[in-house]
Amino acid sequence: MGSALKVLHVNYSDGFGGADIACMELHKALKREGIDSHVLVIKKQNRDSDIILVSKKGFVLNLVKQKISEYILKFQRTANPIHHSLGIFSSKALKIINKSPYNIIHLHWINREMLSIKDVAKINKPVIWTLHDSWPFCGTEHHPNILENDLRYKEGYSRDNRSKSSSGIDIDKYVWTLKRFWWKNLKIRFIAPSLWEYEAFKSSMLINHLKCNIVPNLIDINIFKPINSDFARILLNIPLNRKIILFSVASDPSLDKNKGFNFFVKALEIISKTNYLDSLHILILGTYDRILPLNLPVATTYLGFIKDKTSLAAIYNSTNVLVVSSMVESFGLTSLESISCGTPVVAFQTSGILDIIEHKKTGYLAKCFDINDLATGIVYLLENGESMKENCRRTVLRKFHTEDLSKQHIKIYEEMLG
């Protein structure tokens, strides 16, 4: 059956966001297994012929739709720091999908008005949908507001259970109701990349009756692997005699507060008062160095945005500890890449990261949003992280081997085709 599979992945972009990377890694792994696999995108950033662009004009039109969506969302004021999406505008993507020769449609991150809620219901082929976040069973929010113990996705969206910190038009309720109307006969099979996302899906009111499998996201373990840390530091011109702390900023932290850059800065403020100050060096990975002054007496290198995976692997290998201070992660791709290189991770004890980090074995799990414990975890790994390197790599090879995960996907595809 495997050779008969024709898989079309649908994702907003083939770029460098978490869902983009996960989608592309799965696509490449399927190709290695001999599967006919392509990717449909609105925003194309690579010249790969396997990547299908909806249309050149479609990208410009999509930007207009995004701006309209952003304007509409301003009429709802919420304390939830997570990204919000409407999903009310259709695109040419649906027509391409339904007229295509593919017998499996694998949805990934379809927001920014790539596919509307109605479009999803109108797909006329077997559909798999990977939960790169919780948007499919929430309102406009991509994850519930865990800071306020938001239970609307479990109870249904009503006037009575709306957060007291929210005001304006209840667009979350409108979008959730729209999903309930259009998706009442939905026959999609879901994939959750983590146990936490699976449990959230199964406790949701909207689509908990549908089948869902737990299959982690893939990384290239032949690139993200341990190399000599001194060699990596020399290669990157990073000091050999310092303890290196890495933080990755994929998006503007003033807008994407979920990534917890403020938690990281406050933890550094605590650590800067200890004897570690003179031995530290901070690496900031990402494109937003112009707005990230730490204002601390700690040597800092801004690496910018790194596209090349080999260079990224070298950065992980040069580092003593990666800090992931997100409030919620559906999975935690950066964390997996890091431990695959043998570099332990400190993170909060929450969400999808729990499937990757084992406390004091492959990293340190701090109490949720406790700055002091986050700082304690950073220091703990600076002192003890070297002894975790082998266990980090063994964990990846045991639980996240690329071939095993690609074959799990193929099995699901075959089951969908009967």
Side-chain angles (χ1 to χ4, degrees), residues 165-304:
S165 65
S166 298
S167 60
I169 300 172
D170 192 353
I171 303 177
D172 285 339
K173 178 176 178 289
Y174 169 77
V175 168
W176 185 86
T177 303
L178 200 62
K179 290 175 183 176
R180 184 174 63 175
F181 174 80
W182 281 109
W183 295 355
K184 56 180 177 288
N185 297 315
L186 206 62
K187 294 181 180 178
I188 288 178
R189 185 161 172 178
F190 287 85
I191 291 176
S194 66
L195 176 62
W196 177 85
E197 194 65 64
Y198 172 84
E199 291 178 340
F201 171 90
K202 281 301 181 182
S203 64
S204 71
M205 176 179 281
L206 188 65
I207 49 178
N208 65 359
H209 60 286
L210 296 173
K211 191 166 185 178
C212 183
N213 296 82
I214 302 174
V215 185
N217 292 330
L218 287 70
I219 62 169
D220 191 333
I221 59 175
N222 294 316
I223 292 179
F224 293 102
K225 62 183 179 181
I227 62 173
N228 182 274
S229 60
D230 285 349
F231 173 75
R233 291 190 183 193
I234 292 170
L235 192 67
L236 298 166
N237 196 28
I238 294 172
L240 294 174
N241 60 343
R242 296 289 183 99
K243 295 285 188 178
I244 308 296
I245 300 172
L246 174 65
F247 188 88
S248 179
V249 186
S251 56
D252 186 342
S254 66
L255 299 175
D256 188 3
K257 296 181 181 179
N258 174 56
K259 296 303 180 183
F261 182 72
N262 59 321
F263 295 140
F264 173 60
V265 172
K266 289 177 181 178
L268 285 182
E269 289 174 352
I270 293 171
I271 296 171
S272 68
K273 298 175 184 177
T274 69
N275 294 330
Y276 272 98
L277 181 62
D278 294 333
S279 65
L280 294 181
H281 192 98
I282 310 299
L283 300 182
I284 302 292
L285 181 64
T287 56
Y288 289 88
D289 53 290
R290 65 185 182 278
I291 57 172
L292 295 177
L294 293 178
N295 295 322
L296 293 172
V298 182
T300 304
T301 299
Y302 295 97
L303 299 170

Side-chain angles (χ1 to χ4, degrees), residues 349-404:
Q349 191 175 8
T350 181
S351 62
I353 207 82
L354 299 176
D355 284 13
I356 300 171
I357 306 305
E358 297 178 69
H359 188 55
K360 294 187 176 180
K361 293 182 179 179
T362 58
Y364 187 99
L365 292 171
K367 297 172 186 175
C368 282
F369 322 128
D370 184 324
I371 306 301
N372 288 304
D373 200 25
L374 183 66
T376 297
I378 294 171
V379 172
Y380 181 86
L381 293 185
L382 291 175
E383 295 177 347
N384 302 283
E386 191 68 26
S387 64
M388 299 182 189
K389 285 184 173 295
E390 289 187 10
N391 195 44
C392 283
R393 181 63 177 179
R394 281 198 302 267
T395 297
V396 172
L397 296 178
R398 186 182 80 249
K399 295 173 59 178
F400 304 101
H401 199 284
T402 308
E403 289 184 10
D404 293 340

Side-chain angles (χ1 to χ4, degrees), residues 4-286:
L5 287 172
K6 295 179 181 293
V7 182
L8 180 65
H9 303 273
V10 182
N11 194 66
Y12 175 77
S13 174
D14 60 336
F16 305 96
D20 305 341
I21 295 169
C23 172
M24 293 303 299
E25 287 301 326
L26 175 58
H27 159 68
K28 292 172 184 176
L30 292 175
K31 295 279 286 187
R32 290 193 293 269
E33 295 290 334
I35 302 299
D36 184 351
S37 176
H38 289 78
V39 183
L40 179 67
V41 300
I42 287 280
K43 184 179 181 181
K44 184 174 181 177
Q45 301 190 52
N46 296 291
R47 294 182 178 180
D48 190 336
S49 60
D50 288 338
I51 312 303
I52 303 168
L53 182 65
V54 171
S55 73
K56 292 182 179 179
K57 292 181 180 179
F59 176 66
V60 176
L61 182 59
N62 177 261
L63 289 177
V64 175
K65 293 175 183 176
Q66 286 184 48
K67 292 298 181 182
I68 295 172
S69 295
E70 291 168 5
Y71 176 76
I72 293 172
L73 284 167
K74 289 180 180 180
F75 289 92
Q76 171 180 266
R77 289 174 289 281
T78 174
N80 190 341
I82 299 295
H83 184 73
H84 289 63
S85 296
L86 286 179
I88 61 173
F89 294 107
S90 296
S91 74
K92 291 183 179 179
L94 176 63
K95 186 176 181 180
I96 294 172
I97 290 168
N98 285 343
K99 289 190 174 184
S100 73
Y102 304 95
N103 53 18
I104 290 288
I105 305 302
H106 192 148
L107 304 182
H108 291 267
W109 202 84
I110 58 167
N111 300 107
R112 292 184 179 167
E113 307 305 324
M114 180 178 190
L115 284 175
S116 71
I117 293 165
K118 181 180 177 180
D119 287 342
V120 172
K122 295 294 183 179
I123 297 174
N124 62 11
K125 298 171 183 287
V127 178
I128 307 287
W129 195 347
T130 293
L131 296 164
H132 293 292
D133 54 39
S134 304
W135 184 82
F137 54 82
C138 290
T140 66
E141 70 276 29
H142 283 235
H143 284 297
N145 190 348
I146 61 175
L147 295 177
E148 296 184 340
N149 193 30
D150 179 11
L151 300 177
R152 299 184 93 192
Y153 76 102
K154 294 183 177 182
E155 301 170 348
Y157 287 61
S158 67
R159 181 184 301 175
D160 296 334
N161 64 9
R162 191 182 190 192
S163 168
K164 293 181 180 179
S165 65
S166 298
S167 60
I169 300 172
D170 192 353
I171 303 177
D172 285 339
K173 178 176 178 289
Y174 169 77
V175 168
W176 185 86
T177 303
L178 200 62
K179 290 175 183 176
R180 184 174 63 175
F181 174 80
W182 281 109
W183 295 355
K184 56 180 177 288
N185 297 315
L186 206 62
K187 294 181 180 178
I188 288 178
R189 185 161 172 178
F190 287 85
I191 291 176
S194 66
L195 176 62
W196 177 85
E197 194 65 64
Y198 172 84
E199 291 178 340
F201 171 90
K202 281 301 181 182
S203 64
S204 71
M205 176 179 281
L206 188 65
I207 49 178
N208 65 359
H209 60 286
L210 296 173
K211 191 166 185 178
C212 183
N213 296 82
I214 302 174
V215 185
N217 292 330
L218 287 70
I219 62 169
D220 191 333
I221 59 175
N222 294 316
I223 292 179
F224 293 102
K225 62 183 179 181
I227 62 173
N228 182 274
S229 60
D230 285 349
F231 173 75
R233 291 190 183 193
I234 292 170
L235 192 67
L236 298 166
N237 196 28
I238 294 172
L240 294 174
N241 60 343
R242 296 289 183 99
K243 295 285 188 178
I244 308 296
I245 300 172
L246 174 65
F247 188 88
S248 179
V249 186
S251 56
D252 186 342
S254 66
L255 299 175
D256 188 3
K257 296 181 181 179
N258 174 56
K259 296 303 180 183
F261 182 72
N262 59 321
F263 295 140
F264 173 60
V265 172
K266 289 177 181 178
L268 285 182
E269 289 174 352
I270 293 171
I271 296 171
S272 68
K273 298 175 184 177
T274 69
N275 294 330
Y276 272 98
L277 181 62
D278 294 333
S279 65
L280 294 181
H281 192 98
I282 310 299
L283 300 182
I284 302 292
L285 181 64

Side-chain angles (χ1 to χ4, degrees), residues 302-335:
Y302 295 97
L303 299 170
F305 186 67
I306 306 296
K307 294 182 181 181
D308 180 64
K309 292 179 185 176
T310 303
S311 298
L312 189 56
I315 292 168
Y316 289 129
N317 274 283
S318 72
T319 302
N320 294 97
V321 55
L322 170 69
V323 180
V324 179
S325 49
S326 303
M327 289 184 281
V328 58
E329 292 280 356
S330 177
F331 181 63
L333 203 64
T334 302
S335 298

